[in-house]
């Protein structure tokens, strides 16, 4: 049996992050960290080297999700799923600047995210 894939969640909505944590664990993932700021996400990515990274575009702190992903990408190649509730024009363009990244639009649930993570594992 293989190792349980780890996921880093960075989202400024605490209840949403808690729901994702519980749901992803139900679907066979381990959430190695759940943070609310870009700075904390960078630190957690360095510490845990997760298999997958979920980043809200709007985070607490000085960095948004795109800036955070570009910083993480300097030392980690894990697939990034950007999460947003705002279908703003710049989202696709900014996400395209981060290698191995996809965008998911809210509303979301853990089952949908789990499906996407499993698709990414096949790629």
């Amino acid at each position: 049996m293989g190792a349980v894939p780890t996921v880093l969640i960075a989202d400024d909505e605490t209840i949403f992050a808690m729901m994702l944590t519980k749901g992803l664990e139900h679907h066979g993932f381990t959430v190695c960290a759940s943070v609310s700021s870009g700075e904390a996400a960078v630190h957690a990515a360095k510490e845990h080297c997760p298999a997958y990274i979920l980043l809200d575009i709007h985070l607490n702190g000085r960095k948004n999700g795109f800036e955070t992903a570009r910083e993480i990408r300097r030392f980690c190649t894990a697939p990034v799923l950007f999460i947003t509730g705002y279908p703003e024009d710049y989202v696709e363009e900014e996400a395209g600047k981060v290698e191995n990244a996809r965008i998911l639009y809210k509303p979301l649930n853990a089952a949908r995210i789990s499906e996407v993570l499993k698709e990414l594992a096949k790629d």
Side-chain angles (χ1 to χ4, degrees):
M1 179 183 236
V4 176
T6 56
V7 180
L8 165 61
I9 298 173
D11 197 300
D12 62 336
E13 295 179 32
T14 305
I15 293 173
F16 181 70
M18 288 171 47
M19 182 269 310
L20 280 184
T21 297
K22 185 173 181 168
L24 287 172
E25 288 174 348
H26 175 76
H27 286 280
F29 295 89
T30 296
V31 175
C32 59
S34 180
V35 299
S36 64
S37 72
E39 294 81 7
V42 170
H43 178 76
K46 282 181 182 174
E47 181 179 343
H48 299 286
C49 194
Y52 303 100
I53 301 170
L54 304 181
L55 288 175
D56 191 3
I57 290 173
H58 300 285
L59 295 169
N60 294 329
R62 296 182 311 272
K63 296 176 175 39
N64 67 30
F66 299 120
E67 294 163 331
T68 300
R70 286 191 292 269
E71 187 169 340
I72 290 172
R73 194 51 82 225
R74 293 180 194 157
F75 59 86
C76 179
T77 60
V80 172
L81 294 180
F82 290 112
I83 299 171
T84 185
Y86 306 98
E88 298 158 312
D89 293 338
Y90 76 96
V91 170
E92 298 281 337
E93 180 181 336
E94 288 297 314
K97 295 176 184 177
V98 178
E99 187 177 328
N100 200 13
R102 289 192 187 178
I103 303 168
L104 295 177
Y105 293 95
K106 293 176 183 177
L108 286 169
N109 60 36
R112 174 67 183 130
I113 292 173
S114 176
E115 288 173 14
V116 173
L117 295 178
K118 288 174 182 173
E119 288 171 18
L120 288 170
K122 293 177 187 176
D123 290 347

